[in-house]
Amino acid sequence: MYEEVPPRLHVPAPAIRPGDDPDFSHVSIPRAGAVDRPEPDTKPEDMRDLAFSIIRVLNRKGEAVGPWAGTLDEETLLKGLRDMMKLRIYDARMLTAQRQGKCSFYMQHLGEEAISCAFQRALRPGDMNFPTYRQAGLLIAAGYPLVKMMNQVYSNDGDPVRGRQLPVFYSSKEHGFFSISGNLATQYVQAVGWAMAAAIKGDKKLSAAWIGDGSTAESDFHGALVFASTYKPPVILNIVNNQWAISTFQGIARGGAGTFAARAHGFGLPALRVDGNDFLAVHAASRWAVERARRDLGPTMIEFVTYRAGGHSTSDDPSAYRPKEEGSAWPLGDPILRLKAHLIHLGIWSEERHTQAEAEILAEVIAAQKEAEAIGTLHSGQRPSPRDMFEDVFAEMPPHLVRQRHEVGY
Amino acid sequence: MATQILMPALSPTMEEGTLAKWLVKEGDTVSSGDILAEIETDKATMEFEAVDEGIVGKILIAEGTEGVKVNTPIAVLVEEGESADDVATAPAEAPAAEPEPSVAVSASQPAGGPGASPGRVAAKALEPDWPEGTPMKEQTVREALRDAMAEEMRRDGDVYLMGEEVAEYQGAYKISQGLLDEFGSKRVIDTPITEHGFAGLAVGAAFGGLKPIVEFMTFNFAMQAIDHIINSAAKTLYMSGGQMGAPMVFRGPNGAAARVGAQHSQDYAAWYMQIPGLKVAMPYSASDAKGLLKSAIRDPNPVIFLENEILYGRAFEVPAMDDYTVPFGKARIWREGTDVTIVSFGIGMQYALEAADKLAEDGISAEVIDLRTLRPMDTDTILQSVMKTNRCVTVEEGWPQGSVGSYISSVIMQQAFDYLDAPVINCTGKDVPMPYAANLEKLALVTTAEVIEAVKQVTYR
């Protein structure tokens, strides 16, 4: 016998709200180097523990420790630091530009720079990312010109997507960066489809799907896992868990699951959970997943654990729903400061060189900004031609659009 | 050199805001990135940071000031040695942006022009839905929608609201302000991000005896949920032999706002209007937004309620009545005329009314009809008007092929062909996905000038 209890509606809520002291004591963080590194061809059911821990390489002293260390040489680490610094400085300049009315909208990466910058180092030309709006580091690390990025944000006459997309919705096939979709999660199942095409054609390319913690609730996410599980194409299924989907905390999308990574287990896929603020750990995990794809061992899910230190976008003020100090209390630290400490520990970097690099990168970003602003910004200068508006609706322009184009004088 | 600090546009559609609080005072030294003030927009209260460094020479707009227009100088920064007295006469630096925050918005400002309440629409209904002598109060569309939901939730414990950001954040566009406080988390529910999921869930809850209001952050995102809306909500009453239906409302902003590009700007009026089993409302004024939403919540059928982000902040006269509802299927004649009938709905009414004002200056008398609901559609009112004016122009922001206007044209052709003195013209958006760039966006949307041009064509002027 049991006592019947009337059903209740459960709505998860974060323990901490504005006015409370930030508290991350519920986030269990293992020591750096503590998580095993199984061989990439290990059966998924024999490495399920990886979805419940956090792979970390950099310890508090700036040392790289444990079985996941050692995937990057010094030169690449130095470049990685510069990429992250460039992304942060670029973000800061563009945020200011938005406040000055030079663009209508912007989304920054503050605190999440390591994920996209390090992941790109594990790919090669021809691979394709299906990113969200918070992975511009993929472009920066791939050497995409800053001026083109700014032209897109300003929607001026130099905009590579011809004034058609919201700011930060970049697109570059050549740099392995698929067009951003403003409607969340569509890219996740499309990345699986792109990888299926690669498998059918046998062309040795892989794709990487990107999604945020909140958007894993979308049906596209679950559909993607079904197909990844069934057809096993060369795809890496990334989840960036930055704790907040605008104002909803990650528990709303995660529900009763232990972790987001653990969702892969129901589909027979292996999953890693990784310190997203540790450049070395991000790269090591990415390389492990890339190896699985290149050896035709099937898809891999990676949950990058990080914290969105800034607002969701320039239209958002996080102080309405979380304590202002929460970002500085985040226990995984700042990705730039952590890699910087490691490079100083290795003896290949110093405070002086860091300060100098900051000045050099700032000058580079300002020079690019001047070049972009010389073309135009949202409300001034040279804008995309009305001619562009009618092109690319179809592969060939139908007669009625030719007529409409003539009517506006082009 | 003194620098003016201008009221920032914190979101793409912000036109004005409240300067809630100054966090600096005159004489303070600030550097780039320091928080200067808290600014309240229609969406959120946000911090505003300094771009340049300097000394706060003069604060031009006191804290607590409401309705401060974007790009209005709010303070002046000076350099060391400059005095605050020089500041008042110091030449102002050219603003970084053009004065208008958004071309699409300013192009459609009502003729009343900028004043104390710039969005206020003066025109009055000829056949008001309220008794003569009813006291009126001024309300924004946003407030009217909130009041409609709150009143119906007080009236009926089965009504609840769910969607992304509706509870804790008070709605992505602040429509559900105060509802979580009043009704609690059991009736104002934040959902995970899955339109397909929560629309299906709400359809199930409606089958289970509740009356859900589903808020879509925009109807563009409802594309995900369209299988549940059409294949389940709209058809189950029929398929179950009348046993089970879905008494519910799907609501949210529809159509173009400003600077949100191809995937966030589509007008779905013509899509939903096509579906038997659905009712479709697309209000223009605040009183219609309120009265129609209350009717929609009480309706035993699934209702698609299409709002508009630009209209959210517009103020109109709303009757101060205990229980004000507007019936479905009854158009509103905003302006009587004899030479041409202009039919529109939703934000299209702005272009229609503006065009009618300008046409009157040229001696053309336009009758302007607001359909208010597209299904059922009050075609009788259109036909009666066309039989009088013998000419018709339709106005909508959606695309031309399969538009609401093309349906109206066919109804007129079938039922009033002999009364027509000219072909009906449909003014629509251009046949392209919405571009982002301000100049292209303006070109892609229907304009008042195009409505005037169409009227001149059908009146052979």
Side-chain angles (χ1 to χ4, degrees):
Chain A
M1 285 297 289
Y2 55 85
E3 189 194 346
E4 279 202 26
V5 178
R8 285 179 300 125
L9 184 71
H10 296 267
V11 182
I16 303 296
R17 283 293 187 192
D20 300 333
D21 288 331
D23 179 13
F24 287 108
S25 58
H26 61 285
V27 183
S28 161
I29 295 173
R31 272 182 307 110
V35 177
D36 280 346
R37 181 185 182 280
E39 284 306 309
D41 58 357
T42 308
K43 286 182 184 162
E45 56 269 32
D46 293 337
M47 46 182 178
R48 287 196 176 160
D49 53 333
L50 292 173
F52 298 98
S53 192
I54 300 180
I55 295 168
R56 305 179 65 224
V57 171
L58 290 174
N59 69 15
R60 284 183 184 194
K61 292 184 228 159
E63 298 161 339
V65 295
W68 295 87
T71 59
L72 286 164
D73 60 29
E74 291 182 350
E75 194 187 331
T76 317
L77 286 173
L78 286 168
K79 182 175 176 344
L81 181 68
R82 293 188 81 98
D83 286 342
M84 290 197 288
M85 291 165 74
K86 194 193 272 191
L87 179 56
R88 186 168 292 183
I89 290 169
Y90 169 70
D91 275 344
R93 298 290 301 184
M94 291 295 99
L95 275 177
T96 303
Q98 192 273 342
R99 292 296 191 246
Q100 292 171 317
K102 292 174 184 171
C103 60
S104 64
F105 179 78
Y106 192 74
M107 303 179 89
Q108 62 167 332
H109 303 73
L110 193 63
E112 300 179 43
E113 292 90 347
I115 298 165
S116 52
C117 290
F119 188 86
Q120 184 63 282
R121 296 268 78 83
L123 300 183
R124 67 185 181 207
D127 296 337
M128 181 60 89
N129 286 286
F130 285 75
T132 78
Y133 36 63
R134 231 181 293 280
Q135 276 90 45
L138 294 168
L139 281 174
I140 285 184
Y144 190 70
L146 277 179
V147 177
K148 282 193 176 180
M149 293 173 74
M150 290 171 177
N151 287 343
Q152 197 283 330
V153 170
Y154 289 149
S155 200
N156 63 21
D157 197 31
D159 174 6
V161 295
R162 315 305 300 140
R164 293 176 188 152
Q165 271 285 38
L166 281 163
V168 314
F169 284 28
Y170 314 104
S171 174
S172 175
K173 190 175 176 184
E174 186 193 340
H175 295 81
F177 194 93
F178 193 79
S179 298
I180 306 274
S181 169
N183 298 40
L184 300 176
T186 53
Q187 74 280 0
Y188 218 66
V189 67
Q190 290 162 4
V192 178
W194 195 97
M196 270 186 66
I200 290 166
K201 291 191 288 183
D203 65 5
K204 296 185 178 172
K205 294 173 183 171
L206 63 80
S207 70
W210 294 87
I211 203 165
D213 45 288
S215 302
T216 61
E218 297 272 26
S219 310
D220 306 69
F221 172 79
H222 302 273
L225 293 193
V226 169
F227 288 110
S229 169
T230 303
Y231 299 121
K232 298 197 169 24
V235 61
I236 301 170
L237 300 159
N238 295 316
I239 301 170
V240 179
N241 175 5
N242 68 10
Q243 314 300 319
W244 290 96
I246 310 187
S247 76
T248 42
F249 85 119
Q250 44 86 23
I252 291 271
R254 182 171 51 79
T259 66
F260 288 100
R263 296 223 190 269
H265 292 164
F267 297 86
L269 300 172
L272 309 178
R273 205 155 171 263
V274 180
D275 179 346
N277 292 16
D278 178 342
F279 191 91
L280 280 73
V282 171
H283 182 265
S286 309
R287 194 153 103 164
W288 188 89
V290 165
E291 181 180 334
R292 282 181 43 81
R294 303 249 193 257
R295 290 172 64 189
D296 198 27
L297 296 169
T300 309
M301 175 168 283
I302 309 179
E303 176 187 345
F304 295 107
V305 183
T306 183
Y307 183 85
R308 193 193 77 210
H312 167 75
S313 71
T314 46
S315 305
D316 174 40
D317 178 11
S319 67
Y321 51 81
R322 66 185 194 191
K324 280 188 182 181
E325 313 75 29
E326 208 182 72
S328 44
W330 175 244
L332 293 175
D334 178 275
I336 293 179
L337 295 181
R338 286 176 68 191
L339 183 56
K340 175 188 161 197
H342 177 56
L343 297 178
I344 290 173
H345 169 79
L346 290 178
I348 57 173
W349 200 244
S350 64
E351 289 292 349
E352 295 71 35
R353 287 183 67 180
H354 193 81
T355 308
Q356 190 188 345
E358 266 176 347
E360 285 164 12
I361 294 167
L362 179 62
E364 182 190 343
V365 173
I366 289 173
Q369 194 174 4
K370 282 191 175 146
E371 201 180 318
E373 289 181 8
I375 302 173
T377 62
L378 178 63
H379 288 294
S380 65
Q382 294 161 259
R383 309 195 204 171
S385 164
R387 190 184 177 85
D388 294 328
M389 189 169 108
F390 299 96
E391 281 168 1
D392 303 327
V393 179
F394 296 98
E396 288 168 3
M397 197 182 291
H400 78 281
L401 287 186
V402 175
R403 199 167 53 243
Q404 287 194 341
R405 196 186 76 195
H406 289 163
E407 280 168 14
V408 298
Y410 290 85
Chain B
M1 164 89 193
T3 316
Q4 285 188 343
I5 299 173
L6 305 177
M7 183 74 168
L10 296 169
S11 73
T13 47
M14 176 174 165
E15 293 174 62
E16 58 178 41
T18 299
L19 211 164
K21 194 173 173 190
W22 278 108
L23 299 173
V24 293
K25 56 185 189 306
E26 289 179 4
D28 282 0
T29 302
V30 296
S31 51
S32 177
D34 288 354
I35 311 295
L36 297 177
E38 282 178 6
I39 288 170
E40 214 174 293
T41 72
D42 51 6
K43 290 182 186 166
T45 302
M46 298 184 55
E47 290 175 339
F48 175 47
E49 314 88 358
V51 172
D52 304 299
E53 55 183 23
I55 299 160
V56 180
K58 202 167 194 111
I59 285 175
L60 303 172
I61 305 278
E63 66 179 30
T65 309
E66 292 177 12
V68 182
K69 289 256 176 300
V70 165
N71 285 335
T72 308
I74 56 174
V76 180
L77 276 190
V78 295
E79 283 175 10
E80 194 80 40
E82 277 183 312
S83 115
D85 295 333
D86 303 337
V87 171
T89 51
E93 211 172 75
E98 287 173 12
E100 81 270 38
S102 135
V103 178
V105 172
S106 61
S108 53
Q109 286 271 341
S117 50
R120 197 168 169 282
V121 177
K124 272 192 186 147
L126 285 167
E127 302 171 59
D129 301 284
W130 49 85
E132 210 172 312
T134 304
M136 305 295 284
K137 62 175 172 179
E138 193 164 284
Q139 237 188 353
T140 62
V141 171
R142 171 179 285 110
E143 293 160 346
L145 291 168
R146 191 260 329 273
D147 285 359
M149 287 194 286
E151 286 175 23
E152 292 306 299
M153 288 175 78
R154 281 174 212 134
R155 186 177 168 270
D156 184 346
D158 287 341
V159 177
Y160 79 98
L161 172 68
M162 78 188 307
E164 292 155 5
E165 313 274 345
V166 298
E168 199 65 39
Y169 207 54
Q170 317 269 319
Y173 296 104
K174 295 284 173 277
I175 305 300
S176 49
Q177 232 155 8
L179 296 186
L180 176 66
D181 284 347
E182 181 173 353
F183 300 103
S185 62
K186 214 167 116 183
R187 295 182 70 196
V188 181
I189 304 172
D190 275 332
T191 66
I193 305 170
T194 166
E195 286 75 12
H196 181 245
F198 66 74
L201 188 82
V203 171
F207 291 160
L210 296 182
K211 293 168 188 165
I213 306 169
V214 176
E215 175 173 311
F216 292 118
M217 200 180 282
T218 107
F219 262 92
N220 294 270
F221 302 161
M223 295 276 267
Q224 268 218 349
I226 207 158
D227 185 48
H228 286 296
I229 298 172
I230 292 174
N231 269 325
S232 298
K235 298 179 184 172
T236 297
L237 182 67
Y238 188 75
M239 295 190 301
S240 68
Q243 297 179 78
M244 289 164 290
M248 63 194 302
V249 178
F250 298 96
R251 51 156 289 272
N254 168 67
R259 295 318 93 65
V260 290
Q263 291 177 311
H264 294 59
S265 301
Q266 192 167 333
D267 174 9
Y268 290 92
W271 283 45
Y272 289 111
M273 181 187 85
Q274 223 257 328
I275 309 301
L278 290 182
K279 293 190 176 179
V280 183
M282 189 153 158
Y284 165 59
S285 72
S287 62
D288 287 343
K290 183 174 183 188
L292 287 169
L293 184 54
K294 283 168 67 77
S295 297
I297 294 167
R298 291 179 198 182
D299 200 287
N301 300 287
V303 178
I304 302 291
F305 200 87
L306 303 170
E307 301 160 7
N308 185 286
E309 189 187 334
I310 290 170
L311 292 179
Y312 280 152
R314 295 283 153 90
F316 294 80
E317 298 274 287
V318 177
M321 287 167 64
D322 277 348
D323 192 17
Y324 174 66
T325 59
V326 172
F328 274 44
K330 184 166 173 276
R332 174 171 176 181
I333 299 172
W334 277 76
R335 184 184 176 114
E336 266 183 325
T338 51
D339 297 333
V340 63
T341 302
I342 304 178
V343 185
S344 191
F345 48 91
I347 196 165
M349 285 298 297
Q350 278 192 173
Y351 310 115
L353 290 171
E354 216 174 64
D357 279 346
K358 292 195 175 142
L359 287 162
E361 292 166 16
D362 291 344
I364 300 174
S365 159
E367 180 145 302
V368 181
I369 296 174
D370 179 358
L371 288 175
R372 305 199 289 193
T373 62
L374 302 174
R375 183 186 268 270
M377 187 187 284
D378 185 2
T379 50
D380 285 351
T381 295
I382 302 173
L383 291 167
Q384 278 163 21
S385 176
V386 170
M387 287 173 184
K388 177 174 71 176
T389 64
N390 311 111
R391 295 162 166 90
C392 183
V393 167
T394 67
V395 185
E396 69 196 288
E397 282 194 340
W399 291 310
Q401 191 163 344
S403 62
V404 176
S406 61
Y407 173 71
I408 294 170
S409 307
S410 82
V411 170
I412 296 173
M413 192 190 72
Q414 288 171 47
Q415 299 185 39
F417 184 74
D418 292 338
Y419 291 88
L420 282 178
D421 284 346
V424 178
I425 294 183
N426 303 143
C427 294
T428 66
K430 306 298 179 294
D431 201 18
V432 300
M434 181 62 75
Y436 165 82
N439 60 324
L440 303 188
E441 184 182 64
K442 189 183 172 192
L443 264 179
L445 288 165
V446 66
T447 62
T448 301
E450 285 166 357
V451 178
I452 291 170
E453 179 56 33
V455 167
K456 291 195 170 166
Q457 268 192 54
V458 299
T459 53
Y460 307 108
R461 302 286 180 115

